[in-house]
């Protein structure tokens, strides 16, 4: 049985090509390759070397079209026992190849060649080709007689030409030898024997039989030689004779042989033609060949030798001849028959050859699975032989089957891996294409094949192949392998790795499974912002901003949006998160894992991980970009089990998709309990040249700033340029919640520090004012028990952020083209971590009023003060009675206080101080100083968990005139007031009123201090406004009438005192004391002032009460005598004027009395009614003045 | 009942979706592999044979040693393949037809993804019962 047999094999002359005298194998292969090209030599070309010594037996030699064909057998082969039967099995020529420089002694070369030729007894021609001889060797004469042919050193073309000539010479010599042989055979009595014939000493019967058969066999052999000599017509003639003769002698074996020869002759004759008739003829004849080979089976020597191999060979020859897609069915039948026959072959190597041939033919037919099946049979036959070479062969054969079984090593299937590329781009994939990824996954078979490869590789001593097979087996089929088996594979990996040199790479990844987890975005500290060169504020619009997920305006560039883009900066470390999974039952030690970067512009840092059994882990892989340009990260390089492999993310992604479709056995990540991950697609990553990098820290610690509500504090933020490029421009803005708590940012400081060189640092000041906690916040803080200690506030995102957009130089000095994209800028986000603690809390505000009756003296004390207010001297003199300022128009010591109730729920002590700024536009500074001095001193200390009240005096707020316009509510008022108060429009006055309320409120400040460095202000404006709202008219507006009492010195000078007394007068009166003595007529006067702009008619009455509150004027026990009218004093007061009514009292009993004046206003207008808050227009308006104090001394 | 038989269902993507050793001979691991190898190789023959006839039952289309491969191709090109050593065409045909019906019932399951493995134990039991009945 011979491999590669075909019908035409019978017409090929076998030539052994032998290496002679230690020629280097590489050179031998090179020269042999040159020789192999001349496998066909046309008869035409050899005619010049051919000399006809006698009449050629090949009468019909086609000198024009025919050719001799050679089959070069490198290294030669042992003689076959079937040489007589098929002459083409004989080695008919020997060619030695020697390289002269490596063997200088040509004589010994010739000897060695001669020795080598001895084993080829059948050879008719011997030549030894010596290449590259030296000059001395060329001149040497000793080689003349031998078969040594020297090829003088020349270029390749010349050498090839030379070689061709030599081959033609050999062909001519062979042809002449054949002629000689045929002539001899026709005449001589050569006996042709095959191993089929009995080997025992020939009995007489046998001899007779052999003699009978000799002729037929000789004819067949002559036919063979004719065929070898390239003369099919002659061959056919001889074969026909042989067929006749062998049929007659029932020599079926030779009959079949002759038939085979005749088919070959037929084919050679019809060289290149393939018509169906010829095909049918060949098929018919070959079927008969097969039949006759089968017939020649002789039972008695079946143990030793059988013609079965010839039968199979003939079958295979026919199959090879027919091997075409259209005839697949016939070929399959033939091959199946051959496979059946192979089981009964005795010789293992014959079986091997049959299977190899079957596999090759199936492969040629396009039946790859069949081919793989028989290849595996071959491998199993190899594995049955227990030697290293056979194991190597088995391994190689199995490696060929891996494609059909879809377990090929990645190293051998490079183009296939590109098919999956589209997936990574599209992100989505059709179901069909996913399925196609897993097509023909016969896991059982794949495991068997891989296991056999592993076994053969271990036997063959190929650690890399073993490692690769074990890795494929473990990675793809771990769910089907028992834990013990998994451990075995792990140790196989370890054993293989031990025998591999350090740093060996393998195309097939083993464990762990690696998938891309995510690309962490830049931290807010080093965010990169695309620069918009057209705008001054270049950062606007570059980052997606706004609350909308979908914006109709940004619809323009769909291709741009669907893939996230990532920008990395040269020299700045980057991170990628990957997830590793080890679904097997042993611990996987990953010695190092790092990102594999095809674009070679990233220095990746290796990490070493240990994965316990059945576990997964997310790890961070980092690297530093080294050069600008795009980066692609297809996977990771993993050094595990002693070998370096590349793990592609795409493979695992495909695997996971397959798992979801139920096409793969198991999802390695899910079986390890890893969370389901959305498909993380790889963004477009580009590396940009170095950018400046601002690093910020808050001076005094980066922790959150703890502030009590309303606290004001300065925070210093230091900014340093940690990059290698100066910061050329920077802009500070605010974002986030509670932006108004940032009172001021010293952006000028930053601006003035530009350009900020690498390494330079600048400190800017930010003034913060803590905001008020909402109700919810306060509740949350309270429920936490320890208010404010946890940083919850920060997490809520209620803190504002400082955004600093900064950038380096606009263009690189290298490239100044207009089209170039400017280097991006960056954004630094400094979260101002403000933790607002609940501070003093405001409980309620109340307006309190209080009246202290004034002594009736000889002067109207308040009038004086009010007229002269604003002078420093006057104020100074009033210091003693600080709060008890006298209302100028009420004539009494009326006081109003705003009472604020504050509680301190915190655990620190607060001190509060209240200040009311007195309005003085002229010398504000001195005033404010004074205010501080005046109101700053009495600090109210509020201990923890206590509540305190703070009183704020309200004074100096009265308006001088009660004007109708303040109270206008409808249009009917206009008629009354419009004409008189022509100077103010309604609205103006209203606004003025509001403004004055606001003004009042804004002047009240409650400052607090706690500890050494916390201070702030309570925000109580709203509370005060709410408290004042009810009584704003009382506070701000004067009463329509004010009353005052005074002792009249005498009736004589009373009349002169219509005008308010001068300052000098007051001094006099005050000094005189103005005491009242009982039993003395006391002249008094009551002063009524009209504070409106209209004349008011009133009915005035004065009452006097004693200490007990009884009426002193009327009744039985009246203690006061009266003179003049004390009730029903009708008077009319012009607008903004005062009227004095003089009366006298005569006190009977000394003691304390209270005097008060009251008036009923007649014909009150709307303004007054509104002020008095009357319900109906009929109701009389009663105006009562404040009480005045009278002390009556006794006479004694 | 056949002494050796291996039944497999191969999806149209050439992925085995069901496999069962239904022979009466106690199965050996190696033999089972060998059976699958033979069936896998027979797919090459099936792919040509399926288009030459309108019948679903392709009869014995391939053999290796004494084992014969019979194939039944459904309209959706799912192949029911049986490796056996006895020649009982009628029984095999009935077996295939009944299994085909079972397979269609499996396909009707809305939770079954066509082309994925058939893991239903009910299906397995039924197939083995049919194998006992017909083979």
């Amino acid at each position: 049985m011979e491999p590669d047999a075909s019908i035409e094999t019978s017409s090929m002359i076998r030539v052994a090509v032998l290496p002679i005298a230690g020629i280097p194998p590489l050179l031998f292969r090179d020269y042999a390759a040159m020789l192999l090209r001349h496998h066909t030599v046309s008869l035409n070309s050899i005619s010049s070397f051919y000399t006809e010594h006698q009449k050629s037996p090949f009468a019909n030699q086609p000198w024009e079209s025919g050719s001799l064909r050679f089959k070069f057998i490198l290294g030669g082969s042992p003689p076959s026992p079937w040489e007589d039967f098929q002459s083409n099995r004989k080695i008919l020529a020997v060619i030695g190849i020697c390289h002269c420089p490596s063997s200088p002694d040509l004589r010994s070369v010739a000897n060695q060649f001669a020795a080598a030729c001895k084993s080829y007894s059948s050879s008719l021609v011997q030549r030894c080709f010596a290449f590259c001889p030296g000059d001395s060797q060329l001149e040497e004469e000793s080689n003349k007689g031998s078969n040594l042919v020297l090829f003088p050193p020349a270029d390749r073309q010349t050498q090839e030409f030379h070689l061709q000539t030599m081959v033609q010479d050999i062909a001519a010599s062979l042809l002449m030898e054949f002629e000689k042989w045929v002539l001899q055979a026709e005449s001589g009595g050569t006996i042709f024997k095959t191993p089929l014939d009995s080997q025992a000493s020939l009995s007489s019967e046998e001899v007779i039989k052999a003699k009978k058969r000799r002729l037929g066999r000789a004819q067949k052999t002559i036919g063979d030689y004719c065929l070898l000599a390239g003369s099919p017509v002659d061959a056919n003639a001889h074969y026909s004779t042989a067929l006749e003769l062998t049929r007659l002698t029932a020599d079926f074996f030779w009959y079949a042989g002759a038939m085979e020869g005749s088919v070959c002759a037929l084919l050679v004759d019809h060289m290149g033609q393939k018509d169906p008739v010829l095909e049918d003829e060949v098929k018919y004849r070959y079927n008969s060949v097969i039949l006759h080979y089968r017939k020649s089976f002789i039972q008695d020597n079946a143990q030793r030798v059988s013609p079965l191999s010839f039968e199979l060979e003939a079958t295979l020859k026919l199959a090879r001849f027919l091997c075409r897609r259209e005839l697949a069915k016939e070929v399959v039948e033939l091959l199946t028959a051959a496979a059946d026959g192979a089981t009964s072959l005795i010789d293992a190597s014959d079986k091997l050859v049959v299977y190899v041939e079957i596999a090759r033919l199936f492969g040629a037919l396009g039946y790859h699975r069949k081919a793989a099946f028989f290849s595996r049979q071959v491998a199993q036959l190899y594995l049955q032989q227990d030697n290293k070479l056979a194991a190597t062969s088995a391994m190689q054969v199995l490696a060929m089957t891996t494609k059909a079984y879809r377990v090929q090593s990645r190293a051998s299937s490079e183009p296939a891996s590109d098919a999956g590329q589209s997936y990574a781009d599209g992100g989505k994939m059709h179901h069909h294409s996913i399925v196609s990824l897993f097509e023909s996954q016969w896991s059982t078979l794949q495991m068997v094949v891989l296991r056999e490869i592993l076994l053969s590789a271990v036997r063959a001593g190929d650690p890399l192949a073993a490692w690769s097979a074990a890795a494929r087996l473990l990675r793809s089929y771990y769910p089907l392998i028992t834990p013990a088996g998994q451990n075995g594979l792990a140790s196989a990996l370890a054993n293989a790795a031990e025998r591999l040199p350090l740093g060996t790479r393998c195309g097939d990844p083993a464990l762990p499974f690696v998938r891309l987890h995510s690309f962490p975005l830049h931290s807010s500290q080093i965010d990169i912002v695309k620069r918009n060169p057209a705008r001054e504020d270049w950062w606007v619009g570059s980052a997606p901003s706004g609350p909308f997920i979908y914006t109709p305006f940004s619809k323009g560039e769909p291709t741009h949006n669907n893939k996230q883009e990532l920008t990395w900066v040269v020299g700045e470390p980057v991170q990628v998160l990957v997830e590793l999974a080890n679904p097997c039952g042993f611990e996987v030690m990953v010695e190092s894992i790092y990102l594999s970067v095809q674009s070679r512009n990233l220095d990746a840092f290796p990490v070493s991980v240990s994965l316990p059994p059945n576990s997964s882990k997310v790890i961070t892989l980092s690297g530093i970009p080294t050069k600008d340009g795009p980066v692609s990260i297809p996977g990771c390089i993993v050094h595990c089990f002693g070998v370096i492999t590349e793990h592609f993310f795409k493979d695992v992604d495909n695997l996971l998709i397959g798992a979801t479709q139920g096409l793969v056995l198991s999802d390695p990540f899910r079986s390890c309990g890893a969370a389901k991950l959305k498909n993380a697609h790889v963004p477009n990553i580009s590396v940009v040249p170095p950018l400046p990098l601002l690093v910020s820290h808050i001076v005094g610690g980066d922790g959150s700033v703890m502030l009590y509500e309303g606290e004001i504090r300065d925070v210093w933020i230091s900014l340093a340029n940690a990059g290698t490029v100066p910061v050329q421009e920077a802009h500070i803005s605010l974002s986030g919640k509670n932006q108004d708590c940032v009172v001021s940012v010293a952006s000028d400081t930053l601006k003035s520090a530009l350009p900020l060189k690498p390494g330079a640092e600048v400190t800017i000041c930010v003034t913060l004012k803590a905001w008020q906690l909402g109700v919810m916040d306060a509740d949350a803080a309270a429920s936490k028990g320890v208010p404010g200690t946890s940083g919850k506030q920060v997490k809520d995102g209620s803190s504002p952020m400082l955004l600093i957009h900064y950038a380096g130089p606009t263009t690189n000095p290298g490239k100044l083209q207009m089209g170039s994209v400017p280097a991006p800028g960056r954004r630094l986000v400094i979260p101002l971590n403000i933790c607002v603690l609940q501070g003093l809390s405001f409980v309620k505000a109340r307006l309190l009023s209080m009246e202290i009756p004034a002594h009736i003296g000889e002067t109207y004390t308040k009038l004086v003060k009010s007229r002269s207010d604003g002078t420093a001297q006057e104020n100074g003199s009033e210091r003693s009675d600080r709060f008890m300022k006298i209302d100028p128009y009420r004539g009494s010591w009326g006081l109003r206080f705003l009472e604020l109730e504050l509680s301190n729920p915190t655990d620190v002590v607060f001190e509060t101080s209240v200040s009311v700024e007195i309005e003085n536009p002229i010398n504000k500074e001195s005033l404010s100083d004074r205010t501080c001095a005046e109101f700053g001193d009495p600090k109210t200390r509020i201990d923890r968990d206590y509540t305190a009240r703070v009183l704020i005096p309200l004074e100096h707020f009265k308006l001088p005139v009660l004007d109708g316009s303040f109270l206008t509510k409808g249009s009917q008022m206009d008629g009354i007031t419009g004409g008189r108060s022509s100077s103010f429009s309604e609205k103006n006055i209203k606004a003025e009123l509001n403004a004055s309320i606001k003004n009042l409120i804004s002047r009240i400040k409650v400052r607090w201090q706690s500890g050494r460095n916390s201070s702030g202000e309570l925000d109580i404006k709203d509370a005060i406004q709410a408290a004042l709202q009810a009584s704003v008219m009382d506070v701000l507006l004067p009463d329509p009438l004010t009353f005052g009492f005074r002792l009249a010195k005498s009736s004589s000078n009373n009349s002169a005192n219509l005008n308010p007394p001068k300052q000098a007068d007051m001094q006099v009166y005050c000094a005189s004391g103005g005491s009242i003595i009982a039993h003395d007529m006391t002249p008094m006067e009551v002063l009524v002032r009209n504070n409106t702009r209209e004349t008011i008619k009133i009915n005035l009455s004065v009452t006097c009460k004693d200490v007990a509150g009884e009426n002193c004027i009327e009744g039985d026990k009246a203690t006061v005598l009266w003179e003049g009218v004390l009730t029903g004093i009708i008077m009319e007061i012009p607008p903004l004027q005062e009227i004095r009514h003089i009366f006298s009292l005569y006190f009977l009993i000394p003691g304390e009395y209270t005097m008060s004046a009251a008036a009923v206003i007649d014909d009150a207008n709307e303004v007054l009614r509104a002020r008095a808050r009357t319900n109906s227009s009929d109701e009389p308006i009663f105006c009562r003045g404040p009480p005045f104090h009278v002390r009556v001394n006794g006479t004694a | 009942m056949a002494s050796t038989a291996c039944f497999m269902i191969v999806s149209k993507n050439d992925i085995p979706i069901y496999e069962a050793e239904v022979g009466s001979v106690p199965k050996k691991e190696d033999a089972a592999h060998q059976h699958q190898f033979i069936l896998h190789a027979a797919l090459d023959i099936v792919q040509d044979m399926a288009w030459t006839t309108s019948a679903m039952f392709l009869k014995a289309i391939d053999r290796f040693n004494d084992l014969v491969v019979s194939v039944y191709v459904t309209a959706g090109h799912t192949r029911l393949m049986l490796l056996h050593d006895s020649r009982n065409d009628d029984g095999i045909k009935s077996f295939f037809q009944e299994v085909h019906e079972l397979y269609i019932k499996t396909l009707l399951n809305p939770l079954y993804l066509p082309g994925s493995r058939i893991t239903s134990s009910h299906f397995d039991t039924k197939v083995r019962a049919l194998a006992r009945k017909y083979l």
Side-chain angles (χ1 to χ4, degrees), chain A residues 78 106 159 165 210 224 253 365 372 460 563 570 608 618 651 666 669 743 792 818 838 845 879 913 925 947 995 1093 1122:
Chain A
L106 287 181
Q159 232 167 29
T165 315
D224 282 352
F253 189 64
L365 208 56
K563 228 174 172 188
V570 169
S608 123
V618 177
D651 294 347
S666 142
F669 287 91
V743 179
K792 198 84 176 174
M818 291 302 287
Q838 198 181 10
R879 266 205 171 183
S913 61
E925 285 175 36
T947 303
R1093 292 185 185 274
W1122 57 275

Side-chain angles (χ1 to χ4, degrees), chain A residues 1080-1099:
Chain A
D1080 195 5
M1081 183 61 79
T1082 310
M1084 298 179 93
E1085 54 184 43
V1086 56
L1087 187 139
V1088 184
R1089 184 187 153 88
N1090 179 0
N1091 288 327
T1092 68
R1093 292 185 185 274
E1094 286 167 65
T1095 306
I1096 297 177
K1097 275 187 194 165
I1098 59 164
N1099 189 347

Side-chain angles (χ1 to χ4, degrees), chain A residues 926-960:
Chain A
S926 66
L927 194 69
S928 60
D929 288 344
R930 190 188 60 80
T931 317
C932 289
E934 192 175 349
F935 299 110
D937 284 343
K939 283 184 176 159
T940 311
R941 181 185 155 99
I942 309 175
D943 284 334
R944 43 186 293 200
D945 295 336
Y946 274 85
T947 303
R949 294 198 171 96
V950 179
L951 289 181
I952 305 169
L954 298 182
E955 53 182 347
H956 310 305
F957 298 130
K958 288 273 191 210
L959 295 171

Side-chain angles (χ1 to χ4, degrees), chain A residues 605-677:
Chain A
F605 303 140
V607 178
S608 123
V609 200
S610 151
L611 290 165
N614 291 312
S615 70
S616 68
K617 224 178 231 181
V618 177
I619 61 165
T620 306
L621 298 179
S622 49
I624 290 188
T626 53
K627 224 168 58 191
D628 53 326
V631 178
S632 68
I633 302 181
C636 286
I637 306 275
V638 175
H639 186 195
C640 189
F641 297 110
V643 169
I644 299 168
T645 51
E646 184 163 17
H647 294 235
F648 290 109
F649 298 136
K650 190 183 66 204
D651 294 347
V652 174
D653 287 344
N654 291 344
L655 189 71
L656 297 185
I657 291 171
T660 59
Q661 299 282 341
L663 302 168
V664 182
L665 302 157
S666 142
D667 177 344
F669 287 91
R670 199 187 293 178
S671 64
C672 291
K676 197 170 160 65
L677 189 69

Side-chain angles (χ1 to χ4, degrees), chain A residues 340 367 369-370 439 442, chain B residues 13-14 44 47-48 62-63:
Chain A
D340 281 347
Y367 285 6
R369 285 168 283 205
K370 276 279 184 192
E439 205 159 86
W442 289 56
Chain B
N13 307 105
D14 289 352
D44 272 334
Q47 90 185 2
D48 282 356
D62 193 15
R63 65 179 200 280

